[in-house]
Amino acid sequence: MNVDLLLHPADDPDRHRPDPRGRLSTVGHGAAFRAFARMAKRAGIRFMVIGGTYRDVAVRAASTRDIDVVLIDRQDLPEELMRTAGFERVLRSRHAWRYTAGHRQVDLEIAAVASSGMSTGPFSAAFRHAKIAVIEGVKVAVPRIEDYVILKLLAAASDRHRRARDLADVQYALESFPKQCGSTLSIAALRARLRDVYGTSGQQLKGLVALLRQVPRPHD
């Protein structure tokens, strides 16, 4: 796969260190996330945090455009409960909800839906192996770092326009967890996980591994 990619230069690991208390970096996101999490807990709605929100608290602290969640065993959120929690539907998308925190508007996006019990796709696989993290004082499901990397690789393979951004996120993850680069984040381990957990094979597996090999590793 001959693709030229300009990824970010390695930077000071302390500069973007995530908040150990799980605080979100973007103004307004903390209030919106707490409001959503409270509603979800009361309604018994399970979800997993992914995307930039996960990156912010686990990989590299940085502002994000919106809050990304995966719904588990359901297709949508209950409109009445969301409105009571302070959210309104975003007109342009039935999968987005907007929360106003002071003078800030924060969008919460249903990035995907997944199953807790069936092998229906990559987000279901990531959820079945998810761990618990504290974000804004709330215990929530998040992907393991190796599954975050795999989800980013899958996204990079499916959308050329976002590829450089997704692979930069892979690089951030490798830099943030250098000790795991010789174990769970090694090329061999990620290849095996793609095959055994995510069910990829053949040319798809080769293409994903080729993308992974293009990402600079710590001390390369």
Side-chain angles (χ1 to χ4, degrees), residues 136-165:
E136 290 292 335
V138 183
K139 292 182 179 180
V140 297
V142 298
R144 296 182 180 276
I145 188 60
E146 56 267 36
D147 290 323
Y148 170 78
V149 167
I150 285 174
L151 292 175
K152 284 292 180 179
L153 288 173
L154 290 168
S158 66
D159 188 345
R160 285 182 173 272
H161 298 293
R162 288 180 48 90
R163 181 168 295 175
R165 187 187 312 173

Side-chain angles (χ1 to χ4, degrees), residues 46 48 70-75 110 112-118 120-128:
R46 291 190 292 174
M48 179 172 66
V70 176
L71 290 186
I72 309 302
D73 297 330
R74 62 182 303 134
Q75 299 294 313
I110 303 172
V113 296
S115 168
S116 62
M118 298 176 62
T120 57
F123 294 103
S124 297
F127 178 73
R128 286 198 301 276

